[in-house]
Amino acid sequence: MALKCGIVGLPNVGKSTLFNCVSSGKAQSANFPFCTIEPNIGSTIVPDKRLEVLESLCNPKRVVPATVEIVDIAGLVKGASKGEGLGNQFLANIRETDAILHVLRCFDDPNIVHVDGSVDPVRDKEVIDLELQLKDLETVENRIAKVQKQAQTGGDKNAKKLFDLLCRYRDALQQGKSCRTVIPENTEEEQMAKELFLLTNKPVMYVCNVDEASAKTGNIYVEQVREAVKDENAEILVIAAKIESDIAELESYEERQMFLEEMGLEESGVVRLIQSAYSLLNLRTYFTAGADECRAWTINKGDKAPKAAGVIHTDFEKGFIRAEVIKYEDFVSLKSEAACRAAGKLGVEGKEYVVQDGDIMHFLFNV
């Protein structure tokens, strides 16, 4: 299960600089709008110290961390919902992502032009919100026109439920609210919502790109953003993309740690960004650990054992028999699977077991 996050924002807010920091790709970064036209795609690992500990205990032949796919999407401008600038392409690219990393410029620099002439992250946020909302409103109204007759005749119960959900989305969008503010009433509505692929229903993290002096404490622009999004189901992360770019250029782990210490930071913004994005989507990690391989596997919060097994291979889910589970803390304490088994710390779980973050698992299956 690969997490796919789209980095969005107005032109020249630091999207491509941030992309270069967090991914293995090297996007062009320049001081003019639409420098990014085709979406740049890169990937990066999900930092997890637990995997490092398991590696030290198992001494495996290889280690495979979880990964995140990062998409640097072209800068948006007013009128994108009607195809202005690179709007249509932008909207198509963002629709394919799992979550949105919305970069906001929260720094002053006369040498870097702003597409609207001045720094105002709340205004910038509203520009993109409006364009996405307008596109979603168009989508919702088109769907309403298709299902309304079926819903009103009463012959199709699913059409009636979808119609009701669409009407709630339309009401929210017409009030200038994003679709994520509409909470599905049950699992059936949750599934319907997913199948609509609405842009403003995606989880969002606002990434406040600040200057070096504000990297640790934030600034007045960040506070303005906090106030503006306080009623949204969204996260905020403060990051200095220029500093992160400098850190990314350092070759050794020791050099990077020294740089962070000099800045008064415990860990890089990139690490916090990836971990926060992982959390934003309610994702969890379980491990397989042994002499051949230590590996992190990504699942959704609440997934049961058969579904978790299916992440490794669909046959594991189809022919699931049972799972052997060791808690991470027990494995670290006793230092091996054999010791855990001998101490009675290896549990045998069935199809209803809800996998917990950090579980070390072995699946038995028969196809």
Side-chain angles (χ1 to χ4, degrees):
M1 172 189 264
L3 166 64
K4 190 173 185 179
C5 294
I7 299 179
V8 306
L10 291 177
N12 293 348
V13 297
K15 301 185 310 302
S16 295
T17 301
L18 184 62
F19 171 83
N20 288 337
C21 297
V22 300
S23 77
S24 57
K26 287 294 180 183
Q28 185 183 4
S29 179
N31 186 24
F32 56 90
F34 306 125
C35 172
T36 303
I37 298 176
E38 294 297 329
N40 295 293
I41 301 175
S43 64
T44 188
I45 65 169
V46 178
D48 196 325
K49 293 182 180 178
R50 295 173 299 182
L51 191 59
E52 297 174 17
V53 173
L54 292 177
E55 180 184 7
S56 68
L57 293 174
C58 298
N59 193 27
K61 294 177 182 176
R62 66 173 184 161
V63 177
V64 184
T67 59
V68 177
E69 192 170 275
I70 304 294
V71 185
D72 176 25
I73 299 171
L76 191 73
V77 294
K78 292 176 183 177
S81 59
K82 303 299 181 185
E84 293 295 325
L86 299 168
N88 289 330
Q89 191 168 341
F90 173 97
L91 296 167
N93 292 331
I94 196 173
R95 200 178 295 279
E96 298 172 0
T97 63
D98 299 306
I100 298 171
L101 306 179
H102 186 161
V103 182
L104 297 168
R105 177 172 170 175
C106 294
F107 65 90
D108 292 305
D109 188 337
N111 296 316
I112 299 179
V113 297
H114 190 289
V115 70
D116 284 329
S118 61
V119 177
D120 185 339
V122 175
R123 176 201 60 207
D124 295 352
K125 168 194 171 304
E126 291 172 349
V127 167
I128 287 189
D129 282 352
L130 178 60
E131 296 305 324
L132 299 184
Q133 288 164 6
L134 288 171
K135 196 65 180 179
D136 275 351
L137 184 58
E138 178 185 314
T139 301
V140 167
E141 288 181 333
N142 287 340
R143 289 301 302 272
I144 286 176
K146 290 181 180 178
V147 303
Q148 186 169 8
K149 188 173 182 179
Q150 292 174 294
Q152 291 175 342
T153 58
D156 189 335
K157 291 183 179 179
N158 288 333
K160 176 66 167 65
K161 292 175 183 178
L162 178 58
F163 177 74
D164 290 343
L165 179 61
L166 288 166
C167 287
R168 280 156 47 209
Y169 281 139
R170 181 179 61 186
D171 291 345
L173 290 164
Q174 288 176 339
Q175 295 171 36
K177 298 177 181 178
S178 293
C179 290
R180 71 181 69 89
T181 63
V182 176
I183 308 300
E185 295 179 352
N186 49 54
T187 54
E188 192 174 4
E189 279 198 350
E190 286 179 6
Q191 187 58 38
M192 287 179 176
K194 288 180 182 177
E195 292 171 359
L196 290 170
F197 297 104
L198 296 171
L199 302 172
T200 65
N201 220 5
K202 295 179 183 293
V204 63
M205 180 190 303
Y206 293 105
V207 182
C208 296
N209 184 15
V210 300
D211 58 281
E212 181 176 326
S214 306
K216 187 175 181 180
T217 59
N219 56 29
I220 187 64
Y221 293 131
V222 174
E223 294 309 311
Q224 291 170 359
V225 174
R226 289 190 195 281
E227 179 63 24
V229 306
K230 65 181 181 181
D231 295 327
E232 290 188 34
N233 181 24
E235 295 186 24
I236 290 179
L237 184 72
V238 178
I239 192 169
K242 180 62 175 68
I243 293 176
E244 297 299 323
S245 180
D246 293 339
I247 293 173
E249 294 296 324
L250 299 174
E251 294 185 3
S252 73
Y253 172 81
E254 290 74 17
E255 285 180 307
R256 291 193 290 271
Q257 288 303 114
M258 286 179 62
F259 191 106
L260 288 170
E261 288 175 10
E262 290 175 5
M263 296 297 304
L265 301 171
E266 293 183 9
E267 58 185 358
S268 77
V270 166
V271 169
R272 290 184 287 115
L273 177 69
I274 298 304
Q275 291 174 338
S276 296
Y278 208 69
S279 174
L280 183 68
L281 283 173
N282 273 326
L283 299 177
R284 298 293 182 266
T285 300
Y286 78 85
F287 301 99
T288 50
D292 287 333
E293 178 184 90
C294 284
R295 185 164 185 158
W297 300 92
T298 301
I299 58 172
N300 292 298
K301 180 182 179 182
D303 279 355
K304 294 181 180 179
K307 192 167 185 179
V311 174
I312 298 177
H313 197 286
T314 53
D315 285 350
F316 282 32
E317 181 174 6
K318 291 175 184 175
F320 179 89
I321 299 173
R322 64 181 181 272
E324 295 180 342
V325 184
I326 302 173
K327 296 303 177 186
Y328 171 79
E329 293 77 11
D330 292 333
F331 194 98
V332 173
S333 175
L334 297 170
K335 303 191 184 313
S336 73
E337 179 181 325
C340 289
R341 192 182 295 271
K345 295 296 184 180
L346 185 149
V348 178
E349 304 290 351
K351 293 182 178 181
E352 294 305 308
Y353 176 70
V354 177
V355 179
Q356 302 299 302
D357 189 56
D359 279 353
I360 297 167
M361 307 190 73
H362 175 69
F363 299 103
L364 285 82
F365 70 102
N366 182 27
V367 177

